[in-house]
Amino acid sequence: MNNLHGTNLVFLIALVIYVAIRKHFMTGLQYAETEVDAIDQKDRLLIGAVALTVIVLPVLYLLTPLFSFADYEVSRNLRLVGAVVIAFSLVLFWRSHVDLGINWSPSLEIRRDHALINEGVYARMRHPMYASIWLWCLGQGLMLPNWLIAWAPLFFFSLMYISRVRREEELMRERFGAAYDRYIEATGRIFPKAKK
Ligand code: SAH
């Protein structure tokens, strides 16, 4: 028996879209040259842990009974709220990839022709892609009622966010100087800053 019915099926479709968006934009990076690469061993481990808990474990949970011992009950309404959160996350994930273009990298990198993006979803917030991943983790928690599968992404992504966001901003500050300071003034990290 697998778990592939109702909102679980919706989740699996969303996951396929999520991976397809990532893959599409990674392919677009083929010729983007890197000038500074600040990735370290800790980043690699955390990226691996997030990928494992966001992609591999949910697929195993949905297609096999392996994790059924850790299941719990959740109301259908709460799972539907999760589905709305996931849908919103996907839109933000896609939009931030579109707006960031070749300046995106899976870890911390500065491209040879790196541009400071401060438009589109980047106009009011500095980390819309991370905001979309926070939303994904929350949506997964609400949609997949299993103690191992639901909340593991939130745990590992919290660690990744904490270890990364300040370093990323320092890297951007080194590269873009006062322009980045002005950008910080105009934006929130993961919550949009209201226009003055
Ligand atoms: N933190 C951003 C981007 C994640 S991708 C978000 O959550 O949307 C990580 C890479 O994006 C970093 O290596 C950094 O070089 C680049 N980056 C982050 N903010 C940027 C911006 N406003 N303009 C251009 N590049 C940016």
Side-chain angles (χ1 to χ4, degrees), residues 96 100 103-105 107-110 114-117 122 126-130 164 168 172 183:
S96 39
L100 205 52
N103 304 295
W104 173 70
S105 52
S107 64
L108 298 184
E109 289 174 35
I110 296 287
H114 208 108
L116 173 60
I117 304 296
Y122 286 85
R126 299 195 287 288
H127 303 290
M129 198 176 290
Y130 297 159
R164 185 188 272 211
E168 181 172 325
M172 295 295 287
Y183 180 58

Side-chain angles (χ1 to χ4, degrees), residues 6 9 15 40 119 174 179 182 191 194:
L9 189 58
L15 187 57
D40 62 18
E119 284 172 3
E174 271 168 34
R182 284 194 297 279
F191 295 102

Side-chain angles (χ1 to χ4, degrees), residues 14-25:
L15 187 57
V16 170
I17 298 174
Y18 180 94
V19 172
I21 293 174
R22 259 278 134 101
K23 199 159 178 340
H24 173 76
F25 286 97

Side-chain angles (χ1 to χ4, degrees), residues 32 40 57 81 94 121 126 152 169 175 186:
D40 62 18
L57 293 189
V81 171
W94 172 71
V121 280
R126 299 195 287 288
E169 293 188 351
R175 173 66 178 235

Side-chain angles (χ1 to χ4, degrees), residues 145-162:
N146 180 287
W147 289 115
L148 288 176
I149 309 298
W151 304 107
L154 203 56
F155 175 75
F156 287 110
F157 185 64
S158 304
L159 295 183
M160 186 170 143
Y161 181 83
I162 291 165

Side-chain angles (χ1 to χ4, degrees), residues 31-68:
Y31 303 107
E33 287 179 59
T34 300
E35 191 172 296
V36 180
D37 189 348
I39 191 170
D40 62 18
Q41 201 55 21
K42 188 170 69 174
D43 292 324
R44 282 198 195 92
L45 278 173
L46 288 173
I47 291 173
V50 172
L52 181 76
T53 54
V54 167
I55 301 168
V56 181
L57 293 189
V59 170
L60 288 176
Y61 165 76
L62 292 169
L63 300 181
T64 75
L66 265 181
F67 298 104
S68 57

